[in-house]
Amino acid sequence: MQSKPQAKYLKDYSAPSHTVSNFELDVELHPTDTKVTARASYKANNAETVLTLDGVELELESVKVNGQPYSDYVQDQTRLTISNLPEKFTLEIENRISPSTNTSLEGLYLSEGAYCTQCEAEGFRKITYFLDRPDVLTDYLVTITAEKNIPYLLSNGNKVAEGTLPDGRHFAKWQDPHKKPSYLFALVAGDFDVQKDTFTTKNGREVSLEIFVDKGNLNKTPHAMASLKNAMKWDETRFNLEYDLDIYMIVAVDFFNMGAMENKGLNVFNSACVLANQQTATDRDYHTIESIVGHEYFHNWTGNRVTCRDWFQLSLKEGLTVFRDQEFSSDLGSRALNRIDAVMAMRTHQFAEDAGPMAHPIRPEKVIEMNNFYTVTVYNKGAEVIRMMHTLLGEANFQKGMKLYFERHDGQAVTCDDFVAAMSDASGKCLEQFKRWYSQYGTPTIKVLTNYNVEDETFTISLEQVHAACDPILQPLHIPFAIELLDENGCTLPLILDGKQVQSVLELKEFKSEFTFENIKSQPTPVLLENFSAPCIVEYDYQMDELIHILKHASSDFTRWEVAQRAFTKEIKQAVLSLTNTGSVNLSEHLIAALKSILNEVETDKALISELIRLPNFDTVSAEFKQIPVAELVEVYKQFEQQIATQLCPELKKAYSESHEMGEISSYAVAARSLKSTALFYLAKVSDDEVSKWLNENSKSENMTLKLAALKAAKSANHTLSEQLINEFDANWRHDPLVMDKWFALQATTDNDEAIQLIKSLYAHPCFDKGNPNRVRALVGQFARSNPAQFHRIDGKGYELLADLLIELNHINPQNASRMVTPFMSWKRYDEQRQALIKAQLQRIAEINNLSDDLFEKVDKALNA
Ligand code: B3K
Ligand code: ZN
């Protein structure tokens, strides 16, 4: 490995040396030679005479101080250090950059001919020299100049001037009335189609809404626009927060490293998170678009108006904004289904991260490359931490806390502690111990024992918090632990402690706690960690009949899903153990009977039924094993899916036939399609004429949810129709790379000896492009995540495929490479042979020339943590 990049530490935070005002940025666009001029007034905060600015890959032209050429500076790879400065001065810097060769998709780059920027976290320094840190807020006046064939020139705030220059080029000038940190700066220039609408705020201000998309895509913008208006309305109703500019713009671009970016007044979106119509997008895509449009809009207050003091505080804005977008989706749609999604994301991805070498608290303390910390921990566990505060305080007090937070900190760059202080002060609830959630990593396990005492008619629950590998620095957490007790009829029992009825949320503060509930007439069945009230693992030895009792009677849809998952997991684990002896394994009759009766429930939301009958995903189950038995798990899944298909065939067929949807996006139609898709997934495994007919019909559907469901079902079952359907899809959709991502993802799940060769050959597909993160994630990301049989091949070819790609991506797009390395991070969880194979690939990566900081940080941790 080469010399180590330097880490930064939270404990080393110091306030900025200077304040900046009157920032003017002139950008003269050219694909390979864009000229950037930055002018600003600087004032030293503590009589410093040296100013150190961040700047990366910039060609410096000139430096002027107070209008005069200045040469007392030194430059290195990442900084410009200017010395002997007065206390107050103006600084003008000219530099040049090359957007067309910027494949990192950070800073200013070209996406299919459109100029766009991505500055969070530290991309602004790739545009000009600046104090590129979130606690330096300033006002921006931006002038963009370009050729006339680039009609739209956009930046943050309001357009204050535009015109044509003597040389025939044109310009636009934008002023942002709100001070902001550099990471919220945006510039977009290109030729687009624009969808326009308006929103009138609760105080009667009319806001122009504009969505910019590639030409010809206007028929795919209505859903994003509707989502934006819903988000604006919802934030007024639920959080009393109103939009603060006269214009809100969203630009969809094809080359983008993540979902979207909340730049003030000018969001830039991955086109996959904007464009949708029934022919091209699935119901899941519709949901994702709604939640991301909401998320970026909600950042306007939680992130932009009040921002982060430093990047260690990222969860201040991200955890809170994810919580807000989850609430938005839950208020607009099904609360239970949204909770299922959120919990699934935690168990599938976050628990794994928290148990691996990249484990970090939601407020990390040490960072090499900040982009590596836009993680499920900071985002999703961060949102769970906010949700726990919401649970402990209740909605009314939580809203009081939000109000106080904005009263205190509007226009400031603050810390997670400031947020918790506002919550605590507004509600009177002590959150001192609770704050440990911000500094402790790892998923706590809660070991539960229960005891029913017939004579006393009491039921005792003993709980023990166990922290990551008993790390002695980890202290007991303040955990809201919600429970419910069901009697033998499935009715909820009142919870009586010391003669008083109590709420369902128990507050755990010690390593060990015990609660004895009174007046319990017969052995109850406990529902533990209801609604996933804390991001923990519950260890409790449920018997199958208890799980089925809860599954039948629980009033909460979420709880029913939770126990169905537990029941499946229990059986999968047992099957893995018995597989070695018998070769074949069976789902228990109890569970099959329970699934039958679920499929016959007429009153239940079809979308919930669809979730209840699905096996927990591979990663969730893997987390249950110290060493992941890959091959055995793959085999158990195959056999169980086949059994569900065979034994529930009549019920699945009935469910399929009775799920009517009219091609609309009402929640009823979405639910019907969801159940249809799940039923079809199983049914394809009992290939008969009726099922073949359904597969054929759906593959020809004008509705992408149904079309894709047919393809997935056929592919997974290795159905005779599979190849034909896949070829048809390719032929029909080659003109639309976003749609082809679904096809690449499907191809990535191929489970046969040709899989590796197939994926490699798809690199040459006309729609594929290694520089486009969507394509790479669809094909190779999906392969590594969702094709355990082939990725974990014992000949190591799956690992080699991923490592080859990472080595290429290291030069093209380090951020994307670093994201894609995740499947290697948990290498120590596999058997010795596989460990050796992955380790060899990690070492190969570690030794390449010019290893990016992004990959270095993760590979180094994987190998040496
Ligand atoms: N704040 C951006 C993420 C930026 C990622 C930088 N690598 C999107 C979001 O969370 O809303
Ligand atoms: Zn965000």
Side-chain angles (χ1 to χ4, degrees), residues 38-40 42 51 53 63-66 82 89-93:
R39 263 169 260 109
Y42 282 79
L51 170 67
L53 300 177
V63 177
K64 285 185 189 156
V65 171
N66 289 332
I82 312 174
F89 57 94
T90 61
L91 179 66
E92 181 176 313
I93 297 179

Side-chain angles (χ1 to χ4, degrees), residues 118 120-121 183 258 260-262 295-296 299 317-318 371 374 379 815:
Q118 172 54 36
E120 188 178 0
Y183 83 87
M258 59 264 171
M261 177 64 212
E262 71 264 25
H295 181 99
E296 306 313 328
H299 267 315
K317 73 178 179 80
E318 296 304 346
N371 286 323
Y374 287 75
Y379 275 63
Q815 254 186 74

Side-chain angles (χ1 to χ4, degrees), residues 486-503:
L486 300 179
D487 70 10
E488 66 269 25
N489 299 318
C491 298
T492 305
L493 293 163
L495 300 174
I496 300 169
L497 282 177
D498 297 327
K500 277 196 227 95
Q501 183 159 348
V502 296
Q503 297 293 318

Side-chain angles (χ1 to χ4, degrees), residues 684-739:
K685 297 174 197 296
V686 285
S687 171
D688 63 19
D689 290 349
E690 190 172 31
V691 175
S692 297
K693 190 183 106 213
W694 288 343
L695 287 171
N696 240 323
E697 269 169 23
N698 283 298
S699 76
K700 305 212 160 35
S701 168
E702 286 288 292
N703 178 284
M704 184 51 79
T705 306
L706 295 174
K707 186 193 279 294
L708 201 63
L711 264 76
K712 274 190 185 158
K715 176 97 185 158
S716 152
N718 216 355
H719 194 279
T720 44
L721 279 170
S722 174
E723 202 178 324
Q724 177 204 330
L725 301 188
I726 283 184
N727 291 339
E728 279 170 13
F729 193 103
D730 183 17
N732 292 337
W733 288 104
R734 274 194 185 204
H735 60 280
D736 192 334
L738 270 188
V739 174

Side-chain angles (χ1 to χ4, degrees), residues 106 118-122 183-184 256-263 268 292 295-297 299 311 314 317-318 321-322 325 369-374 379 815 819:
E106 191 183 46
Q118 172 54 36
C119 293
E120 188 178 0
E122 297 178 331
Y183 83 87
L184 289 174
F256 205 64
N257 270 334
M258 59 264 171
M261 177 64 212
E262 71 264 25
N263 317 298
V268 178
I292 298 189
H295 181 99
E296 306 313 328
Y297 176 75
H299 267 315
W311 288 123
L314 180 61
K317 73 178 179 80
E318 296 304 346
T321 305
V322 171
D325 84 52
E369 170 51 62
M370 189 53 214
N371 286 323
N372 281 338
F373 288 83
Y374 287 75
Y379 275 63
Q815 254 186 74
R819 189 117 37 98

